[in-house]
Amino acid sequence: MSSLTSPAPVVADASGAPSRFVVGEEHFLLDGRPHQVLSGAIHYFRVHPDQWADRIRKARLMGLNTVETYVPWNAHQPSPDVGPRFDGDLDLARFLDLVAAEGMHAVVRPGPFVCAEWDNGGLPAWLFTDPELGVRRHEPRFLAAVQGFFDRLLPVLAAAQVDRGGPVVLVQVENEYGAYGSDQAYLAALAAMVRAGGITVPLFTCDQADATMLADGGLPGVLRTATFGSRTAERLAVLRAAQPTGPLMCAEFWNGWFDHWGTHHHRTDAAAQAAELDALLSAGASVNLYMFCGGTNFGFTSGANDKGIYAPTTTSYDYDAPLSEDGWPTAKYHAFRAVLARHGRVPDEEPPRRAPAPELAVELDEQVALDAVVDRLGPVLCFDAPPPVEAVGQHAGFTEYTTTLPARPAGDALVLPDVRDRAVVTLDGLVLGTVDRETRTAVLAVPPTAGGTLRVLLEDQGRVNYGPRIGEPKGLLGGVRLGAEELRGWRVRPVALNLDVVRGALRPAPGGPRAGTAFHRGTFDLATSADLHLRLDGWTKGVAFVNGFALGRYWSRGPQRTLYVPGPVTRAGANELVVLELHGTADARARFVAEPDLGPDEA
Ligand code: GLA
C-alpha cells in the first residue's frame, strides 16, 4: 500500500494563482508536492444557492480541502427546446467561485450520467422520446446530445480549472460505468469530448471496488478510483490490483445512505465510519466523502431504484452525512474532524452547534379542489390509446388522463396493467382507488353505473437512476381495460402546478377533515427569515410549497416526517404555505417543528 512521503496540506492555496495538479506515480502532485485530496460532496442542486457558501465553509472547518459536485444535465436543461441554463440556483460558476473563496479545490463530475438518487440519474427524460437513441453507449444521437450539453458546460469548467487560477483539480468521465456497460468506445468518446472542451486537469473514472467493474468502467491513461464505505483495506487492494501505479482514491466514501419511501431512515455509526476514514487516510489514499452534506431533493427531482420492485427515493437526501440536510454538524462531523486533525491541520475555528428552528402552527384556511382548476393547469391533447407522459411534454410530476367510461355489464373491473408510477382513479369524482406500481395493485372494482368520466391522476414518482431502467417512459403503459375491453379516446393533460392559477381560485374553508385531491393554503408570520421543518401529521400524500418554493413530496408512509424549508425562501412578516394533497387530511393544519424528523432508524 502506498503512503504519503510528506504530510499533505489540508487547506488548499487560496491565492488564485495558477497551480499545476497532476497524477503522479504514487500521489497527486500539486505544484510538484504530494497532495492528498480530502474532499466532500455538496450538490449545489440540492442546496439553496444562498446557503452554498455556508455549507462549503463548514466543509473547510471540518478539515476538508476540496468540495465535489455532480452536474445534473436534466436540471440544467429540462426541455429540449431551450438550451441549458447556468444561472440562479444552477449557477455552477458561482458555486465554484465560492469553493475557491474558501481556499478549497473542486472536483466536478459532469456525467452525463450521474446516478446520485437523482431523477433519471441526471439524463433528461426528453432524450428518450427518440426510440433509436442509445443510452450510455457509443451511439451517434446520444453522443450528439451530450456534445450539445457539454458545449455549454465545459467552458464553465475549463475557466475554473486550477491551472487557470480556479479551484477545479479533477473532472470525472461518466459514473460507475462498469456497473452498467463495457463500451470502451463510448468512454473514450466522452473523454475526448471533455479534452476537446478545454479540460486540461486530470480526468478520472469511478467504479465499485470490483475487478470487472473497474476494468469495464475505466480507460487506459485515465485515473481509476473506487467507491465504497467499508472494508477499506480490502477495497484499496482491489483498486491497486486494477491500477498498479497512481494515487489511490475513494471517489465516493459512502459515510451514510439514502432512504426510500416505506423503509427506515438509514444511519451509520459515526465511530465506525471515522475508523474507516482513518484507515483510508493512513493508507495515503485521497477521499471524497459521499456525502459531506446531502441536502434535499426539492420539487420533483428525486430518483428511484428498481431491482424488481420500484422504490422511489425520499425528498430528504440527508444521507446521515457529517453535515445534516439543514446544514448542522453532527456527531459524525466531529468524529471526522478529529480524524482529519490527526492526519493534518484543521482550522482552529469551531463549527457552530445546532440551533432549534421556530415552532408554530398554520391553519390552512383556504382550499380549492384540483378539479376546479385543472383545466387552467395545462392544455389537453387527444389520443386513442393513453400515451406515455413524455408524449405531452411532461417529464416530471402529474399528468391527468380522462376518458368516457362506457355503460357496461355489472361485475367488470378496471384493469391498469403497468402504471408508472402511481394513479388516483376517480369516476365522476368518486374515488375508485389508488394504483401503485410498487405494490402492483392493478385491478379496481367499478360500481354499476351507466358510465361516466373516468379520471386517472398519474404521478411520476421519480425516474430510476441506476441500472437498466434508466430512460424508461412513464404513464399508463399497457393501457386501461374495463374487463376485456381496451378503453380508448383519452384526453391527456400535463398538470403544471401553477400557484398563481391556484391562488386565484382558492376559497375559505373550515378546519377539520377534508377529502379529495385539492390545494390548501394558509399563511404564517415569522419574526425573521429562518430554516423551518414542516410537519404534516394527518395528511396523506402530496407536495408542499413555501412562498412558491417547491419543498418536494411528503407521504404519510414515511420514514421522513418533516420537510426542510431553507431559510432563504422565508421572510420576516407574512409567509405562505400551499399543499397539494392527493387523498385528504384528518386536520387542515400543519406545524413547523424545532428539529427535523427523518423517521425511525433500523431497529
Ligand atoms: C453510487 C453512485 C452515486 C450514488 C451512490 C449511492 O456510488 O455513483 O451517484 O448513487 O451509489 O448513494
PDB file of all heavy atoms in Angstrom, residues 43 70 109 113-118 172 175-176 206-208 227-228 252 254 256-258 290-291 305 317 319 465-466, ligand 1:
ATOM      1  N   HIS A  43     -23.877  18.842  -3.355  1.00  0.00           N
ATOM      2  CA  HIS A  43     -24.510  19.042  -4.654  1.00  0.00           C
ATOM      3  C   HIS A  43     -25.193  20.403  -4.653  1.00  0.00           C
ATOM      4  O   HIS A  43     -26.171  20.589  -3.919  1.00  0.00           O
ATOM      5  CB  HIS A  43     -25.530  17.938  -4.929  1.00  0.00           C
ATOM      6  CG  HIS A  43     -24.907  16.570  -5.038  1.00  0.00           C
ATOM      7  ND1 HIS A  43     -25.605  15.405  -4.809  1.00  0.00           N
ATOM      8  CD2 HIS A  43     -23.643  16.206  -5.362  1.00  0.00           C
ATOM      9  CE1 HIS A  43     -24.789  14.374  -4.993  1.00  0.00           C
ATOM     10  NE2 HIS A  43     -23.597  14.836  -5.324  1.00  0.00           N
ATOM     11  N   TYR A  70     -21.551  16.716  -8.565  1.00  0.00           N
ATOM     12  CA  TYR A  70     -22.028  16.261  -9.864  1.00  0.00           C
ATOM     13  C   TYR A  70     -22.611  17.466 -10.603  1.00  0.00           C
ATOM     14  O   TYR A  70     -22.857  18.520  -9.996  1.00  0.00           O
ATOM     15  CB  TYR A  70     -23.174  15.257  -9.688  1.00  0.00           C
ATOM     16  CG  TYR A  70     -22.823  13.828  -9.368  1.00  0.00           C
ATOM     17  CD1 TYR A  70     -23.400  13.188  -8.269  1.00  0.00           C
ATOM     18  CD2 TYR A  70     -21.999  13.079 -10.195  1.00  0.00           C
ATOM     19  CE1 TYR A  70     -23.140  11.860  -7.987  1.00  0.00           C
ATOM     20  CE2 TYR A  70     -21.740  11.737  -9.914  1.00  0.00           C
ATOM     21  CZ  TYR A  70     -22.307  11.132  -8.819  1.00  0.00           C
ATOM     22  OH  TYR A  70     -22.067   9.818  -8.555  1.00  0.00           O
ATOM     23  N   ARG A 109     -18.037  16.321 -11.458  1.00  0.00           N
ATOM     24  CA  ARG A 109     -18.425  15.060 -12.106  1.00  0.00           C
ATOM     25  C   ARG A 109     -19.623  15.339 -13.027  1.00  0.00           C
ATOM     26  O   ARG A 109     -20.780  15.282 -12.596  1.00  0.00           O
ATOM     27  CB  ARG A 109     -18.763  14.012 -11.034  1.00  0.00           C
ATOM     28  CG  ARG A 109     -17.584  13.834 -10.054  1.00  0.00           C
ATOM     29  CD  ARG A 109     -17.622  12.534  -9.330  1.00  0.00           C
ATOM     30  NE  ARG A 109     -18.624  12.468  -8.294  1.00  0.00           N
ATOM     31  CZ  ARG A 109     -19.059  11.309  -7.791  1.00  0.00           C
ATOM     32  NH1 ARG A 109     -18.600  10.162  -8.257  1.00  0.00           N
ATOM     33  NH2 ARG A 109     -19.946  11.323  -6.814  1.00  0.00           N
ATOM     34  N   PHE A 113     -24.150  10.867 -17.213  1.00  0.00           N
ATOM     35  CA  PHE A 113     -24.967  10.131 -16.238  1.00  0.00           C
ATOM     36  C   PHE A 113     -24.352  10.352 -14.866  1.00  0.00           C
ATOM     37  O   PHE A 113     -23.131  10.280 -14.720  1.00  0.00           O
ATOM     38  CB  PHE A 113     -24.973   8.648 -16.591  1.00  0.00           C
ATOM     39  CG  PHE A 113     -25.548   7.784 -15.517  1.00  0.00           C
ATOM     40  CD1 PHE A 113     -26.919   7.726 -15.309  1.00  0.00           C
ATOM     41  CD2 PHE A 113     -24.722   7.043 -14.672  1.00  0.00           C
ATOM     42  CE1 PHE A 113     -27.454   6.952 -14.293  1.00  0.00           C
ATOM     43  CE2 PHE A 113     -25.244   6.265 -13.656  1.00  0.00           C
ATOM     44  CZ  PHE A 113     -26.614   6.220 -13.467  1.00  0.00           C
ATOM     45  N   VAL A 114     -25.191  10.648 -13.875  1.00  0.00           N
ATOM     46  CA  VAL A 114     -24.642  10.906 -12.541  1.00  0.00           C
ATOM     47  C   VAL A 114     -25.211   9.991 -11.450  1.00  0.00           C
ATOM     48  O   VAL A 114     -24.732  10.044 -10.311  1.00  0.00           O
ATOM     49  CB  VAL A 114     -24.821  12.390 -12.121  1.00  0.00           C
ATOM     50  CG1 VAL A 114     -24.133  13.317 -13.115  1.00  0.00           C
ATOM     51  CG2 VAL A 114     -26.283  12.777 -11.929  1.00  0.00           C
ATOM     52  N   CYS A 115     -26.230   9.211 -11.737  1.00  0.00           N
ATOM     53  CA  CYS A 115     -26.852   8.328 -10.724  1.00  0.00           C
ATOM     54  C   CYS A 115     -27.402   9.178  -9.575  1.00  0.00           C
ATOM     55  O   CYS A 115     -28.438   9.812  -9.726  1.00  0.00           O
ATOM     56  CB  CYS A 115     -25.852   7.284 -10.245  1.00  0.00           C
ATOM     57  SG  CYS A 115     -26.640   5.930  -9.349  1.00  0.00           S
ATOM     58  N   ALA A 116     -26.735   9.167  -8.410  1.00  0.00           N
ATOM     59  CA  ALA A 116     -26.968  10.155  -7.353  1.00  0.00           C
ATOM     60  C   ALA A 116     -28.378  10.191  -6.768  1.00  0.00           C
ATOM     61  O   ALA A 116     -28.762  11.204  -6.171  1.00  0.00           O
ATOM     62  CB  ALA A 116     -26.587  11.557  -7.854  1.00  0.00           C
ATOM     63  N   GLU A 117     -29.186   9.130  -6.982  1.00  0.00           N
ATOM     64  CA  GLU A 117     -30.554   9.152  -6.458  1.00  0.00           C
ATOM     65  C   GLU A 117     -31.311  10.367  -7.004  1.00  0.00           C
ATOM     66  O   GLU A 117     -32.236  10.895  -6.396  1.00  0.00           O
ATOM     67  CB  GLU A 117     -30.605   9.113  -4.926  1.00  0.00           C
ATOM     68  CG  GLU A 117     -30.158   7.825  -4.334  1.00  0.00           C
ATOM     69  CD  GLU A 117     -28.681   7.524  -4.553  1.00  0.00           C
ATOM     70  OE1 GLU A 117     -27.823   8.183  -3.939  1.00  0.00           O
ATOM     71  OE2 GLU A 117     -28.380   6.615  -5.350  1.00  0.00           O
ATOM     72  N   TRP A 118     -30.884  10.816  -8.166  1.00  0.00           N
ATOM     73  CA  TRP A 118     -31.448  11.979  -8.844  1.00  0.00           C
ATOM     74  C   TRP A 118     -32.290  11.483 -10.017  1.00  0.00           C
ATOM     75  O   TRP A 118     -31.920  10.494 -10.668  1.00  0.00           O
ATOM     76  CB  TRP A 118     -30.299  12.873  -9.341  1.00  0.00           C
ATOM     77  CG  TRP A 118     -30.713  14.196  -9.891  1.00  0.00           C
ATOM     78  CD1 TRP A 118     -30.766  14.548 -11.211  1.00  0.00           C
ATOM     79  CD2 TRP A 118     -31.094  15.352  -9.145  1.00  0.00           C
ATOM     80  NE1 TRP A 118     -31.160  15.862 -11.321  1.00  0.00           N
ATOM     81  CE2 TRP A 118     -31.368  16.377 -10.079  1.00  0.00           C
ATOM     82  CE3 TRP A 118     -31.227  15.631  -7.784  1.00  0.00           C
ATOM     83  CZ2 TRP A 118     -31.775  17.655  -9.687  1.00  0.00           C
ATOM     84  CZ3 TRP A 118     -31.627  16.897  -7.389  1.00  0.00           C
ATOM     85  CH2 TRP A 118     -31.893  17.890  -8.339  1.00  0.00           C
ATOM     86  N   GLN A 172     -14.472  14.102 -13.672  1.00  0.00           N
ATOM     87  CA  GLN A 172     -14.805  12.685 -13.872  1.00  0.00           C
ATOM     88  C   GLN A 172     -15.438  12.450 -15.240  1.00  0.00           C
ATOM     89  O   GLN A 172     -16.177  13.291 -15.747  1.00  0.00           O
ATOM     90  CB  GLN A 172     -15.762  12.214 -12.778  1.00  0.00           C
ATOM     91  CG  GLN A 172     -16.039  10.709 -12.838  1.00  0.00           C
ATOM     92  CD  GLN A 172     -16.967  10.251 -11.732  1.00  0.00           C
ATOM     93  OE1 GLN A 172     -16.622  10.337 -10.557  1.00  0.00           O
ATOM     94  NE2 GLN A 172     -18.143   9.765 -12.100  1.00  0.00           N
ATOM     95  N   ASN A 175     -19.972   7.725 -14.843  1.00  0.00           N
ATOM     96  CA  ASN A 175     -20.109   7.461 -13.424  1.00  0.00           C
ATOM     97  C   ASN A 175     -20.407   5.989 -13.195  1.00  0.00           C
ATOM     98  O   ASN A 175     -21.425   5.490 -13.687  1.00  0.00           O
ATOM     99  CB  ASN A 175     -21.257   8.293 -12.839  1.00  0.00           C
ATOM    100  CG  ASN A 175     -21.347   8.157 -11.342  1.00  0.00           C
ATOM    101  OD1 ASN A 175     -20.521   8.694 -10.622  1.00  0.00           O
ATOM    102  ND2 ASN A 175     -22.315   7.408 -10.868  1.00  0.00           N
ATOM    103  N   GLU A 176     -19.518   5.333 -12.482  1.00  0.00           N
ATOM    104  CA  GLU A 176     -19.671   3.897 -12.222  1.00  0.00           C
ATOM    105  C   GLU A 176     -20.118   3.161 -13.477  1.00  0.00           C
ATOM    106  O   GLU A 176     -21.060   2.366 -13.447  1.00  0.00           O
ATOM    107  CB  GLU A 176     -20.677   3.655 -11.087  1.00  0.00           C
ATOM    108  CG  GLU A 176     -20.134   3.984  -9.702  1.00  0.00           C
ATOM    109  CD  GLU A 176     -21.003   3.420  -8.586  1.00  0.00           C
ATOM    110  OE1 GLU A 176     -22.189   3.126  -8.820  1.00  0.00           O
ATOM    111  OE2 GLU A 176     -20.487   3.264  -7.480  1.00  0.00           O
ATOM    112  N   CYS A 206     -14.801   6.466 -11.916  1.00  0.00           N
ATOM    113  CA  CYS A 206     -15.016   5.834 -10.618  1.00  0.00           C
ATOM    114  C   CYS A 206     -15.884   4.598 -10.795  1.00  0.00           C
ATOM    115  O   CYS A 206     -16.779   4.576 -11.631  1.00  0.00           O
ATOM    116  CB  CYS A 206     -15.618   6.818  -9.606  1.00  0.00           C
ATOM    117  SG  CYS A 206     -17.393   6.982  -9.636  1.00  0.00           S
ATOM    118  N   ASP A 207     -15.571   3.578 -10.048  1.00  0.00           N
ATOM    119  CA  ASP A 207     -16.315   2.317 -10.128  1.00  0.00           C
ATOM    120  C   ASP A 207     -16.336   1.642  -8.778  1.00  0.00           C
ATOM    121  O   ASP A 207     -15.477   1.906  -7.933  1.00  0.00           O
ATOM    122  CB  ASP A 207     -15.673   1.390 -11.160  1.00  0.00           C
ATOM    123  CG  ASP A 207     -16.094   1.772 -12.565  1.00  0.00           C
ATOM    124  OD1 ASP A 207     -17.249   1.503 -12.914  1.00  0.00           O
ATOM    125  OD2 ASP A 207     -15.275   2.386 -13.274  1.00  0.00           O
ATOM    126  N   GLN A 208     -17.311   0.766  -8.596  1.00  0.00           N
ATOM    127  CA  GLN A 208     -17.346  -0.025  -7.373  1.00  0.00           C
ATOM    128  C   GLN A 208     -16.072  -0.878  -7.319  1.00  0.00           C
ATOM    129  O   GLN A 208     -15.508  -1.204  -8.362  1.00  0.00           O
ATOM    130  CB  GLN A 208     -18.614  -0.869  -7.341  1.00  0.00           C
ATOM    131  CG  GLN A 208     -19.856   0.008  -7.125  1.00  0.00           C
ATOM    132  CD  GLN A 208     -21.149  -0.656  -7.512  1.00  0.00           C
ATOM    133  OE1 GLN A 208     -21.365  -1.818  -7.195  1.00  0.00           O
ATOM    134  NE2 GLN A 208     -22.013   0.069  -8.203  1.00  0.00           N
ATOM    135  N   THR A 227     -15.399   3.290  -5.355  1.00  0.00           N
ATOM    136  CA  THR A 227     -16.477   3.771  -4.490  1.00  0.00           C
ATOM    137  C   THR A 227     -16.777   2.698  -3.451  1.00  0.00           C
ATOM    138  O   THR A 227     -16.996   1.534  -3.803  1.00  0.00           O
ATOM    139  CB  THR A 227     -17.743   4.066  -5.317  1.00  0.00           C
ATOM    140  OG1 THR A 227     -18.144   2.880  -6.010  1.00  0.00           O
ATOM    141  CG2 THR A 227     -17.510   5.158  -6.342  1.00  0.00           C
ATOM    142  N   PHE A 228     -16.758   3.083  -2.196  1.00  0.00           N
ATOM    143  CA  PHE A 228     -17.059   2.136  -1.105  1.00  0.00           C
ATOM    144  C   PHE A 228     -17.209   2.909   0.202  1.00  0.00           C
ATOM    145  O   PHE A 228     -16.878   4.105   0.264  1.00  0.00           O
ATOM    146  CB  PHE A 228     -15.975   1.054  -0.985  1.00  0.00           C
ATOM    147  CG  PHE A 228     -14.577   1.595  -0.801  1.00  0.00           C
ATOM    148  CD1 PHE A 228     -14.089   1.901   0.469  1.00  0.00           C
ATOM    149  CD2 PHE A 228     -13.725   1.795  -1.888  1.00  0.00           C
ATOM    150  CE1 PHE A 228     -12.792   2.378   0.647  1.00  0.00           C
ATOM    151  CE2 PHE A 228     -12.433   2.288  -1.718  1.00  0.00           C
ATOM    152  CZ  PHE A 228     -11.963   2.585  -0.450  1.00  0.00           C
ATOM    153  N   GLU A 252     -16.042   7.914  -3.816  1.00  0.00           N
ATOM    154  CA  GLU A 252     -17.281   8.023  -3.043  1.00  0.00           C
ATOM    155  C   GLU A 252     -17.098   7.188  -1.791  1.00  0.00           C
ATOM    156  O   GLU A 252     -17.241   5.965  -1.836  1.00  0.00           O
ATOM    157  CB  GLU A 252     -18.480   7.499  -3.828  1.00  0.00           C
ATOM    158  CG  GLU A 252     -18.901   8.387  -4.960  1.00  0.00           C
ATOM    159  CD  GLU A 252     -20.109   7.829  -5.695  1.00  0.00           C
ATOM    160  OE1 GLU A 252     -20.879   7.050  -5.101  1.00  0.00           O
ATOM    161  OE2 GLU A 252     -20.260   8.164  -6.878  1.00  0.00           O
ATOM    162  N   TRP A 254     -18.817   6.179   1.079  1.00  0.00           N
ATOM    163  CA  TRP A 254     -20.228   6.199   1.498  1.00  0.00           C
ATOM    164  C   TRP A 254     -20.300   6.226   3.017  1.00  0.00           C
ATOM    165  O   TRP A 254     -20.306   5.175   3.671  1.00  0.00           O
ATOM    166  CB  TRP A 254     -20.954   4.968   0.951  1.00  0.00           C
ATOM    167  CG  TRP A 254     -20.956   4.890  -0.550  1.00  0.00           C
ATOM    168  CD1 TRP A 254     -21.110   5.915  -1.420  1.00  0.00           C
ATOM    169  CD2 TRP A 254     -20.810   3.708  -1.347  1.00  0.00           C
ATOM    170  NE1 TRP A 254     -21.069   5.464  -2.720  1.00  0.00           N
ATOM    171  CE2 TRP A 254     -20.890   4.115  -2.706  1.00  0.00           C
ATOM    172  CE3 TRP A 254     -20.628   2.364  -1.060  1.00  0.00           C
ATOM    173  CZ2 TRP A 254     -20.788   3.221  -3.759  1.00  0.00           C
ATOM    174  CZ3 TRP A 254     -20.523   1.470  -2.106  1.00  0.00           C
ATOM    175  CH2 TRP A 254     -20.609   1.887  -3.432  1.00  0.00           C
ATOM    176  N   GLY A 256     -22.802   7.363   4.722  1.00  0.00           N
ATOM    177  CA  GLY A 256     -24.201   7.200   5.126  1.00  0.00           C
ATOM    178  C   GLY A 256     -24.934   6.519   3.989  1.00  0.00           C
ATOM    179  O   GLY A 256     -24.307   5.834   3.179  1.00  0.00           O
ATOM    180  N   TRP A 257     -26.227   6.727   3.914  1.00  0.00           N
ATOM    181  CA  TRP A 257     -27.000   6.133   2.817  1.00  0.00           C
ATOM    182  C   TRP A 257     -28.301   6.905   2.658  1.00  0.00           C
ATOM    183  O   TRP A 257     -28.705   7.664   3.563  1.00  0.00           O
ATOM    184  CB  TRP A 257     -27.248   4.647   3.067  1.00  0.00           C
ATOM    185  CG  TRP A 257     -27.476   3.838   1.802  1.00  0.00           C
ATOM    186  CD1 TRP A 257     -28.627   3.201   1.447  1.00  0.00           C
ATOM    187  CD2 TRP A 257     -26.537   3.590   0.747  1.00  0.00           C
ATOM    188  NE1 TRP A 257     -28.452   2.566   0.230  1.00  0.00           N
ATOM    189  CE2 TRP A 257     -27.170   2.791  -0.227  1.00  0.00           C
ATOM    190  CE3 TRP A 257     -25.207   3.975   0.509  1.00  0.00           C
ATOM    191  CZ2 TRP A 257     -26.549   2.363  -1.412  1.00  0.00           C
ATOM    192  CZ3 TRP A 257     -24.580   3.555  -0.667  1.00  0.00           C
ATOM    193  CH2 TRP A 257     -25.246   2.753  -1.607  1.00  0.00           C
ATOM    194  N   PHE A 258     -28.972   6.663   1.537  1.00  0.00           N
ATOM    195  CA  PHE A 258     -30.237   7.353   1.246  1.00  0.00           C
ATOM    196  C   PHE A 258     -31.423   6.500   1.678  1.00  0.00           C
ATOM    197  O   PHE A 258     -31.270   5.314   1.988  1.00  0.00           O
ATOM    198  CB  PHE A 258     -30.306   7.673  -0.249  1.00  0.00           C
ATOM    199  CG  PHE A 258     -30.141   6.453  -1.125  1.00  0.00           C
ATOM    200  CD1 PHE A 258     -31.235   5.714  -1.520  1.00  0.00           C
ATOM    201  CD2 PHE A 258     -28.877   6.042  -1.535  1.00  0.00           C
ATOM    202  CE1 PHE A 258     -31.092   4.583  -2.320  1.00  0.00           C
ATOM    203  CE2 PHE A 258     -28.715   4.907  -2.328  1.00  0.00           C
ATOM    204  CZ  PHE A 258     -29.831   4.175  -2.717  1.00  0.00           C
ATOM    205  N   TYR A 290     -18.952  10.872   0.413  1.00  0.00           N
ATOM    206  CA  TYR A 290     -20.248  10.901  -0.249  1.00  0.00           C
ATOM    207  C   TYR A 290     -21.291  10.557   0.801  1.00  0.00           C
ATOM    208  O   TYR A 290     -21.393   9.403   1.188  1.00  0.00           O
ATOM    209  CB  TYR A 290     -20.315   9.896  -1.392  1.00  0.00           C
ATOM    210  CG  TYR A 290     -21.512  10.130  -2.290  1.00  0.00           C
ATOM    211  CD1 TYR A 290     -21.420  10.910  -3.427  1.00  0.00           C
ATOM    212  CD2 TYR A 290     -22.754   9.590  -1.976  1.00  0.00           C
ATOM    213  CE1 TYR A 290     -22.521  11.140  -4.240  1.00  0.00           C
ATOM    214  CE2 TYR A 290     -23.856   9.825  -2.778  1.00  0.00           C
ATOM    215  CZ  TYR A 290     -23.731  10.590  -3.913  1.00  0.00           C
ATOM    216  OH  TYR A 290     -24.821  10.832  -4.706  1.00  0.00           O
ATOM    217  N   MET A 291     -21.975  11.548   1.293  1.00  0.00           N
ATOM    218  CA  MET A 291     -21.934  12.986   1.038  1.00  0.00           C
ATOM    219  C   MET A 291     -21.254  13.707   2.215  1.00  0.00           C
ATOM    220  O   MET A 291     -21.209  13.145   3.296  1.00  0.00           O
ATOM    221  CB  MET A 291     -23.387  13.499   0.953  1.00  0.00           C
ATOM    222  CG  MET A 291     -24.245  12.891  -0.120  1.00  0.00           C
ATOM    223  SD  MET A 291     -23.788  13.363  -1.820  1.00  0.00           S
ATOM    224  CE  MET A 291     -23.998  15.159  -1.793  1.00  0.00           C
ATOM    225  N   ASN A 305     -35.040   3.547  -7.315  1.00  0.00           N
ATOM    226  CA  ASN A 305     -34.340   2.311  -7.655  1.00  0.00           C
ATOM    227  C   ASN A 305     -35.371   1.279  -8.077  1.00  0.00           C
ATOM    228  O   ASN A 305     -36.548   1.377  -7.709  1.00  0.00           O
ATOM    229  CB  ASN A 305     -33.528   1.813  -6.459  1.00  0.00           C
ATOM    230  CG  ASN A 305     -32.356   2.729  -6.173  1.00  0.00           C
ATOM    231  OD1 ASN A 305     -32.480   3.704  -5.442  1.00  0.00           O
ATOM    232  ND2 ASN A 305     -31.223   2.449  -6.777  1.00  0.00           N
ATOM    233  N   TYR A 317     -32.394  14.185   1.333  1.00  0.00           N
ATOM    234  CA  TYR A 317     -31.177  13.452   0.944  1.00  0.00           C
ATOM    235  C   TYR A 317     -30.143  13.698   2.038  1.00  0.00           C
ATOM    236  O   TYR A 317     -28.967  13.911   1.772  1.00  0.00           O
ATOM    237  CB  TYR A 317     -30.700  13.922  -0.435  1.00  0.00           C
ATOM    238  CG  TYR A 317     -29.752  12.966  -1.140  1.00  0.00           C
ATOM    239  CD1 TYR A 317     -30.161  11.694  -1.513  1.00  0.00           C
ATOM    240  CD2 TYR A 317     -28.456  13.343  -1.450  1.00  0.00           C
ATOM    241  CE1 TYR A 317     -29.305  10.819  -2.174  1.00  0.00           C
ATOM    242  CE2 TYR A 317     -27.587  12.474  -2.111  1.00  0.00           C
ATOM    243  CZ  TYR A 317     -28.029  11.215  -2.475  1.00  0.00           C
ATOM    244  OH  TYR A 317     -27.168  10.351  -3.129  1.00  0.00           O
ATOM    245  N   TYR A 319     -28.789  11.718   4.058  1.00  0.00           N
ATOM    246  CA  TYR A 319     -27.732  10.723   3.841  1.00  0.00           C
ATOM    247  C   TYR A 319     -26.996  10.350   5.118  1.00  0.00           C
ATOM    248  O   TYR A 319     -26.019   9.641   5.103  1.00  0.00           O
ATOM    249  CB  TYR A 319     -26.734  11.261   2.787  1.00  0.00           C
ATOM    250  CG  TYR A 319     -26.202  10.171   1.866  1.00  0.00           C
ATOM    251  CD1 TYR A 319     -26.899   9.793   0.725  1.00  0.00           C
ATOM    252  CD2 TYR A 319     -25.008   9.529   2.143  1.00  0.00           C
ATOM    253  CE1 TYR A 319     -26.413   8.801  -0.115  1.00  0.00           C
ATOM    254  CE2 TYR A 319     -24.526   8.529   1.304  1.00  0.00           C
ATOM    255  CZ  TYR A 319     -25.232   8.177   0.172  1.00  0.00           C
ATOM    256  OH  TYR A 319     -24.759   7.195  -0.664  1.00  0.00           O
ATOM    257  N   ASN A 465     -32.701   5.739 -11.317  1.00  0.00           N
ATOM    258  CA  ASN A 465     -31.404   6.382 -11.557  1.00  0.00           C
ATOM    259  C   ASN A 465     -30.235   5.411 -11.583  1.00  0.00           C
ATOM    260  O   ASN A 465     -29.083   5.832 -11.647  1.00  0.00           O
ATOM    261  CB  ASN A 465     -31.143   7.466 -10.495  1.00  0.00           C
ATOM    262  CG  ASN A 465     -31.148   6.906  -9.094  1.00  0.00           C
ATOM    263  OD1 ASN A 465     -32.181   6.920  -8.432  1.00  0.00           O
ATOM    264  ND2 ASN A 465     -30.006   6.414  -8.622  1.00  0.00           N
ATOM    265  N   TYR A 466     -30.516   4.120 -11.527  1.00  0.00           N
ATOM    266  CA  TYR A 466     -29.418   3.138 -11.506  1.00  0.00           C
ATOM    267  C   TYR A 466     -29.887   1.893 -12.234  1.00  0.00           C
ATOM    268  O   TYR A 466     -31.011   1.437 -12.006  1.00  0.00           O
ATOM    269  CB  TYR A 466     -29.063   2.802 -10.049  1.00  0.00           C
ATOM    270  CG  TYR A 466     -27.902   1.829  -9.890  1.00  0.00           C
ATOM    271  CD1 TYR A 466     -26.591   2.289  -9.846  1.00  0.00           C
ATOM    272  CD2 TYR A 466     -28.125   0.461  -9.791  1.00  0.00           C
ATOM    273  CE1 TYR A 466     -25.523   1.408  -9.699  1.00  0.00           C
ATOM    274  CE2 TYR A 466     -27.075  -0.439  -9.650  1.00  0.00           C
ATOM    275  CZ  TYR A 466     -25.767   0.046  -9.602  1.00  0.00           C
ATOM    276  OH  TYR A 466     -24.712  -0.829  -9.460  1.00  0.00           O
TER     277      TYR A 466
HETATM  278  C1  GLA B   1     -23.112   5.122  -6.479  1.00  0.00           C
HETATM  279  C2  GLA B   1     -23.314   6.310  -7.402  1.00  0.00           C
HETATM  280  C3  GLA B   1     -23.727   7.544  -6.656  1.00  0.00           C
HETATM  281  C4  GLA B   1     -24.829   7.221  -5.665  1.00  0.00           C
HETATM  282  C5  GLA B   1     -24.335   6.134  -4.718  1.00  0.00           C
HETATM  283  C6  GLA B   1     -25.347   5.734  -3.667  1.00  0.00           C
HETATM  284  O1  GLA B   1     -21.899   5.159  -5.925  1.00  0.00           O
HETATM  285  O2  GLA B   1     -22.138   6.586  -8.130  1.00  0.00           O
HETATM  286  O3  GLA B   1     -24.171   8.500  -7.573  1.00  0.00           O
HETATM  287  O4  GLA B   1     -25.948   6.783  -6.361  1.00  0.00           O
HETATM  288  O5  GLA B   1     -24.064   4.986  -5.457  1.00  0.00           O
HETATM  289  O6  GLA B   1     -25.782   6.811  -2.952  1.00  0.00           O
END
